[in-house]
Amino acid sequence: MNTILENIANCVESGKINRASTYPPAMKDMEGADELTKKALDIGMTPDEILENALIPAMAAVGDKYARKEIFVPQMLMSAKAMNSAMVHIKPFFLSGAAKRKGKFILGTVSGDLHDIGKNLVAMMVEGGGWEVIDLGVDAGSDKFIKALEENPGAVVGLSALLTTTMENMKNIVAVIKKKHNETRIMVGGAPVTAEYCSRIGADFYSPDPQGAVRYLNSLIP
Ligand code: B1M
């Protein structure tokens, strides 16, 4: 792998945000995910390359270490902060200059779930794909989705869940939306979610990644 990408991945895995951050002590005064991502973009690397070859695999490695009990929640949080500092530089590349929006997409991480990195990536790419995104943030329950739908009739809804426990809340939210607004298209995603689960809970589409989310939304345009 290219050295700069290796270094970005290492910063995210280690939770090194930027040069000023003193965590982890072994990387004091070194550049962090923030400076290195900016540098990678400045030398012409694409946001996709950085995401696919450094940021996303680094977060997967963090998850594996957590599962093996080699790190704990505070370290996982530092990695998330390092990832977010990189995403600040990537975001402008996904924003579209198109004035006219293709439609509205209401997106949120379901109730009980605070993971938002994947959701934010989906939001970024969908927005870049020409859609208006109404981001309900994390821990969003059915009441928030219903309110947003009533304010934005005809919008497509996207639900993200990262915990096996909150997948159950995803199911409840889909049921409430379908009961009140049966015509609403609902897309689901997030690491533990599958196409099989999607059809079992009555959602319309499962996408494993943001690119698939954009393709699905575009396929709905008459
Ligand atoms: Co948490 N956590 N976490 N965590 N965390 C996981 C999910 C876990 C798998 C780690 C592990 O055990 N290996 C595990 C869940 C186990 C399970 O349920 N089976 C776990 C746990 C247990 C927990 C806590 C319970 C820990 C605790 O407190 N004891 C706790 C729960 C808090 C809560 O939500 N109530 C917790 C907390 C946290 C932090 C706050 C420290 C932090 C989140 C910070 C943040 O998001 N702002 C965190 C992190 C960072 C992770 C891991 C390491 C990384 C998640 C991530 O950002 N991935 C994660 C392990 C892992 O995923 N391997 C883990 C990168 C991101 C780009 O991927 O979100 O999958 P992802 O999104 C992808 C796709 O899934 C897809 O597109 C994205 C880009 O490709 N996608 C969609 C996502 N949403 C979509 C929606 C769509 C379409 C596609 O359409 C609508």
Side-chain angles (χ1 to χ4, degrees):
M1 205 209 292
N2 179 300
T3 318
I4 193 159
L5 293 179
E6 275 174 18
N7 291 342
I8 294 171
N10 184 34
C11 286
V12 171
E13 265 197 70
S14 314
K16 176 71 176 168
I17 301 168
N18 55 26
R19 195 189 281 281
S21 62
T22 51
Y23 181 86
M27 293 174 85
K28 192 169 176 282
D29 296 330
M30 287 165 69
E31 289 178 311
D34 176 2
E35 293 92 354
L36 290 171
T37 303
K38 183 172 183 315
K39 208 176 255 182
L41 290 166
D42 287 346
I43 62 170
M45 289 191 165
T46 66
D48 280 342
E49 258 178 292
I50 300 170
L51 272 170
E52 298 297 327
N53 300 322
L55 300 176
I56 291 179
M59 286 311 277
V62 170
D64 292 344
K65 282 188 188 167
Y66 177 80
R68 292 196 300 266
K69 296 191 168 44
E70 289 167 16
I71 61 166
F72 300 93
V73 173
Q75 286 101 321
M76 210 157 54
L77 199 52
M78 292 310 288
S79 291
K81 286 187 177 171
M83 169 103 180
N84 281 334
S85 75
M87 279 171 41
V88 166
H89 300 291
I90 295 211
K91 187 169 182 181
F93 287 82
F94 289 109
L95 295 184
S96 161
K100 189 172 176 328
R101 293 295 180 179
K102 294 175 180 169
K104 292 185 180 185
F105 182 52
I106 298 168
L107 176 65
T109 301
V110 301
S111 31
D113 201 322
L114 304 176
H115 295 86
D116 67 355
I117 294 175
K119 170 194 69 69
N120 292 344
L121 265 174
V122 172
M124 223 183 259
M125 295 201 195
V126 166
E127 206 177 334
W131 288 71
E132 179 180 342
V133 175
I134 296 138
D135 190 340
L136 303 183
V138 295
D139 194 18
S142 53
D143 48 343
K144 273 198 185 169
F145 283 97
I146 294 293
K147 184 168 180 281
L149 258 175
E150 286 168 357
E151 288 166 1
N152 301 280
V156 182
V157 168
L159 306 176
S160 179
L162 261 285
L163 299 169
T164 42
T165 46
T166 57
M167 281 168 72
E168 191 61 25
N169 300 338
M170 179 177 260
K171 177 178 156 192
N172 298 338
I173 295 169
V174 170
V176 172
I177 295 175
K178 288 288 184 185
K179 192 168 174 206
K180 283 208 155 192
H181 302 281
N182 187 38
E183 71 294 347
T184 304
R185 300 296 186 107
I186 307 177
M187 170 163 45
V188 294
V193 182
T194 60
E196 191 272 326
Y197 186 72
C198 166
S199 61
R200 186 143 46 92
I201 65 173
D204 298 288
F205 189 76
Y206 159 72
S207 173
D209 50 41
Q211 296 86 339
V214 176
R215 276 197 301 275
Y216 172 65
L217 290 172
N218 288 341
S219 77
L220 297 176
I221 299 171

